[in-house]
Structure formats: structure tokens, C-alpha cells
Amino acid sequence: MTFALDARLAADTAALGDWPLCRVLAMRDARYPWLVLVPRRDGAVELTDLTPQDRAALIEEVARAADALNAETRADKINVGALGNVVAQLHVHVVARRRGDFAWPGPVWGNGASLLYAPEDWSAFTRAMAARLGFSPGA
Amino acid sequence: MTFALDARLAADTAALGDWPLCRVLAMRDARYPWLVLVPRRDGAVELTDLTPQDRAALIEEVARAADALNAETRADKINVGALGNVVAQLHVHVVARRRGDFAWPGPVWGNGASLLYAPEDWSAFTRAMAARLGFSPGA
């Protein structure tokens, strides 16, 4: 079977590019610099649906995303979560948190509606992250 | 430096045993079957503070904890999260979720006070999990 990104994830994000395992998405929520990594393995829901080799690749890609977010935002803390209570397709959130941000110190999930980016801020964020993640701008 | 478990994590949990990388804790919150894995690496706060080898070990231990929780509870979804906004010491939550549980479909974090286990339920949970995780009961 071929990989297809969940429609709800696709609606909430923009794709920045593909790493060896994951599709890397930027979340359309101006409250937090936020990436989502989706292993391109059709039908994967839990971490235990991946092979150990894929899990090792996943956590390295998560670390790489965390480093890039941190370099771009100088976050106080990176939050990493794989929940999947709403969208079953296995996906890992990597979120840059700052003391005093909208949900601090609580989690970003289940904490109200997303805040729309101003178009220029969205463009700046996605271009900056694409460059830091090793994707050509606009890829 | 030697590993010391954060005092707040220690207060909220019971230690079930040590795996090669992590200390495995059971959370004292009767709302959810909930484990916490703490890499025994002094000073680690972010995933990026671990070596790639330790990260690979961590995600395998997370998968093993998820399997054990799932086998014990027949969860609808396993939630995995490394937040650290309150307790800095790197720790990974592995939580068995059920449709209709207290916070469903939201996250368990930041969602009100813990519910105390009845002593017999706590004993049953920790003994069952210790056995499934490969620790001798009471270890």
C-alpha cells in the first residue's frame, strides 16, 4: 500500500518535505512554532506498529526537528508527543515552547482553537524551517 | 555524576524497576494506567541531550512499555509524551487511553488533580505491570 497523509493532518499543516522516514509538516497555529512528523508507513497507528529500525530512524528525525526548532526559536522547552486520540495515523508533534506562551506550562493539545498566522509570518516560518531542516525553500 | 530521580517524579510515582536505560515508574493516578520512563542519564533534559545510541534504546523501551500497558489494559490508544515544562528531568510518559476516559480525547497532562488509587487497586496495577515489564514483583 502507498502512503497517504491523513486529510485532517493535511488540512492543519503544510508539508515542508520528506526525510528518509517521515513527512515533515508545519502546523498552522501561530501560538507555537510546531512541526509534525509522519512516518511514511501506511497503516501505522502506534509506535509498536513500526519496526525497531524505523523507530530508531523516527527518534533521530524527531531529534533533528527539535534541534532545528530550537535553533530557529531559542525555545525554553521542546515538547514531543505522539497521541493520536483524534487522528489515528501515527504522527509525532515537536513543539517549541516558551515560558508564558498560551498554554504554558500545560500541553498544547486540546487547548482551544488554533490562531491563524498572518500570511507573512507563515511564509517566514515555513521558509526558515524548510531551510533549517535541509529542504529547499518551497519544497 | 550519578543519576538521581527528580523529587517530584518520585513523589508522584512508584519505581517498578530499571531497564538498561530507563527507570520505569508507575504513576499514582487511578484515572489512567500510566507509566513514566526516565533515562538514567544525569542532567538530560531534552531528547537531544542523549546520544543517538541512548535515543534508540529509549524508543525501544517506550515501545516495550506500550506493549505491556496494552497487554494489561487493552487500551484504545497509547499516548506517548515528553513534555518537561514542569519537571525538567527528561522523562517520557506512556499512558493507556480509553474512549470516554476522564480526559478523552484530550491529553492527560494539565487536566486536573490525580485521582488516588484504592490501595488494593494500586497494588494490583503495580504488581501486574512489574510482572509484564519483566521485574520481579515488588522489585
Side-chain angles (χ1 to χ4, degrees), chain B residues 50-75:
Chain B
L50 298 180
T51 64
Q53 185 178 346
D54 278 351
R55 278 196 292 269
L58 175 59
I59 201 162
E60 286 312 294
E61 294 186 1
V62 166
R64 189 174 167 193
D67 268 339
L69 266 178
N70 213 23
E72 181 64 25
T73 69
R74 301 183 182 280

Side-chain angles (χ1 to χ4, degrees), chain A residues 29-34 96-115:
Chain A
D29 188 338
R31 296 177 298 175
Y32 323 97
W34 184 338
R97 303 298 306 276
R98 294 193 187 93
R99 290 184 187 88
D101 71 20
F102 183 85
W104 187 268
V108 298
W109 310 284
N111 214 322
S114 297
L115 180 66

Side-chain angles (χ1 to χ4, degrees), chain A residues 45-48 51-53 55-56 58-60 62-64 66-67 70 76-88 90 97 104-110, chain B residues 45-48 51-53 55-56 58-60 62-64 66-67 70 76-88 90 97 104-110:
Chain A
V45 171
E46 299 282 358
L47 288 175
T48 47
T51 64
Q53 183 177 346
R55 278 195 292 269
L58 175 59
I59 200 163
E60 286 311 294
V62 167
R64 190 175 166 192
D67 267 340
N70 214 24
D76 292 314
K77 190 70 190 68
I78 300 293
N79 288 178
V80 175
L83 287 81
N85 304 338
V86 177
V87 170
L90 179 61
R97 303 298 306 276
W104 187 268
V108 298
W109 310 284
Chain B
V45 171
E46 299 283 358
L47 288 176
T48 49
T51 64
Q53 185 178 346
R55 278 196 292 269
L58 175 59
I59 201 162
E60 286 312 294
V62 166
R64 189 174 167 193
D67 268 339
N70 213 23
D76 292 313
K77 188 71 189 71
I78 299 292
N79 287 178
V80 174
L83 286 81
N85 304 338
V86 177
V87 170
L90 180 60
R97 303 298 306 274
W104 186 267
V108 298
W109 310 284

Side-chain angles (χ1 to χ4, degrees), chain B residues 95-115:
Chain B
V95 191
R97 303 298 306 274
R98 295 195 187 90
R99 290 185 188 87
D101 71 20
F102 184 84
W104 186 267
V108 298
W109 310 284
N111 215 323
S114 297
L115 180 67

Side-chain angles (χ1 to χ4, degrees), chain A residues 2-79:
Chain A
T2 54
F3 171 76
L5 184 64
D6 174 271
R8 183 155 175 173
L9 284 177
D12 292 343
T13 64
L16 299 178
D18 282 355
W19 277 340
L21 178 63
C22 293
R23 181 151 302 166
V24 184
L25 310 172
M27 181 71 83
R28 298 180 191 277
D29 188 338
R31 296 177 298 175
Y32 323 97
W34 184 338
L35 301 175
V36 180
L37 274 59
V38 184
R40 300 197 312 282
R41 296 290 184 260
D42 205 62
V45 171
E46 299 282 358
L47 288 175
T48 47
D49 294 333
L50 299 179
T51 64
Q53 183 177 346
D54 277 352
R55 278 195 292 269
L58 175 59
I59 200 163
E60 286 311 294
E61 294 187 2
V62 167
R64 190 175 166 192
D67 267 340
L69 266 180
N70 214 24
E72 181 64 23
T73 69
R74 301 182 180 282
D76 292 314
K77 190 70 190 68
I78 300 293
N79 288 178

